């Protein structure tokens, strides 16, 4: 049979499902990243969610964050730093941290907080949800979408060619 998913499924599609499962199973979540203001909206949006802790991601000391996480030993560690910072951070520190599952969500932490606008379903299905994000904040997203996406595609193709 065919491999892969029959339809497009993004991290933003996963977060509401994950939240529902966490509520059903009484899983605790620790949110690390973004601003304290955004993190505070998560408990407002999900008042029954077991939030073991939060720590903002713009100004932090790694040892303090690790100590804070380890004190509560969350089931799910949700990290919303920017890429590749969050990947580097978890790679360097995963053996020092007590958690069961880690999700690296970048700006997706705003989805949990209800502060990130998703594109219409028709754009999502076409793989163009980024258009909505671009037009909601064109100044901040200009470099990411105009330079970053083509650069990512070129680097991916280059890596694929080199691996053959």
């Amino acid at each position: 049979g065919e491999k892969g998913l029959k339809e497009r499924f993004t991290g933003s599609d996963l977060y509401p499902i994950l939240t529902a499962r966490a509520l059903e199973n009484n899983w605790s979540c620790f949110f690390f990243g973004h601003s304290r203001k955004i993190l505070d909206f998560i408990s407002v949006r999900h008042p029954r969610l077991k939030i073991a802790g939060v720590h903002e991601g713009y100004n932090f000391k790694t040892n303090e964050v690790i100590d804070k996480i380890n004190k509560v030993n969350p089931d799910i560690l949700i990290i919303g730093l920017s890429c590749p910072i969050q990947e580097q951070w978890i790679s360097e520190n995963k053996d020092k941290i007590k958690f069961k599952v880690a999700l690296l969500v970048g700006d997706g932490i705003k989805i949990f907080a209800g502060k990130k606008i998703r594109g219409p379903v028709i754009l999502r299905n076409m793989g163009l949800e980024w258009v909505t994000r671009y037009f909601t904040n064109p100044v901040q997203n200009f470099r990411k979408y105009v330079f970053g996406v083509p650069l990512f595609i070129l680097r991916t193709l280059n890596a694929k060619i080199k691996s053959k």
Side-chain angles (χ1 to χ4, degrees), residues 12-140:
S12 296
D13 297 323
L14 170 68
Y15 309 148
I17 296 167
L18 176 70
T19 302
R21 294 297 177 276
L23 285 167
E24 289 169 13
N25 295 291
N26 199 32
W27 293 332
S28 63
C29 300
F30 189 104
F31 292 89
F32 169 39
H34 225 286
S35 67
R36 183 63 199 214
K37 183 178 177 185
I38 290 294
L39 294 170
D40 288 343
F41 278 110
I42 298 170
S43 60
V44 172
R45 182 142 193 251
H46 305 285
R48 293 181 18 244
L49 185 64
K50 188 176 178 182
I51 299 175
V54 297
H55 199 287
E56 68 99 10
Y58 292 121
N59 183 21
F60 66 90
K61 292 181 180 156
T62 292
N63 290 338
E64 287 178 12
V65 176
I66 291 171
D67 289 345
K68 199 170 180 181
I69 295 168
N70 287 342
K71 282 181 185 169
V72 296
N73 190 16
D75 295 304
I76 305 168
L77 173 59
I78 298 167
I79 302 175
L81 305 172
S82 63
C83 181
I85 295 169
Q86 62 193 11
E87 289 80 7
Q88 291 167 343
W89 191 88
I90 195 68
S91 178
E92 292 168 6
N93 297 296
K94 67 182 181 295
D95 296 331
K96 304 172 200 165
I97 306 171
K98 297 177 192 171
F99 65 95
K100 292 174 184 65
V101 174
L103 289 177
L104 310 179
V105 301
D107 209 31
I109 212 159
K110 287 181 175 177
I111 300 274
F112 288 99
K115 295 297 175 187
K116 186 171 183 178
I117 297 169
R118 296 221 44 209
V121 174
I122 191 163
L123 286 181
R124 288 188 230 166
N125 291 341
M126 293 169 37
L128 297 172
E129 187 173 6
W130 64 270
V131 173
T132 302
R133 285 193 297 277
Y134 177 77
F135 284 108
T136 56
N137 193 345
V139 173
Q140 184 179 355

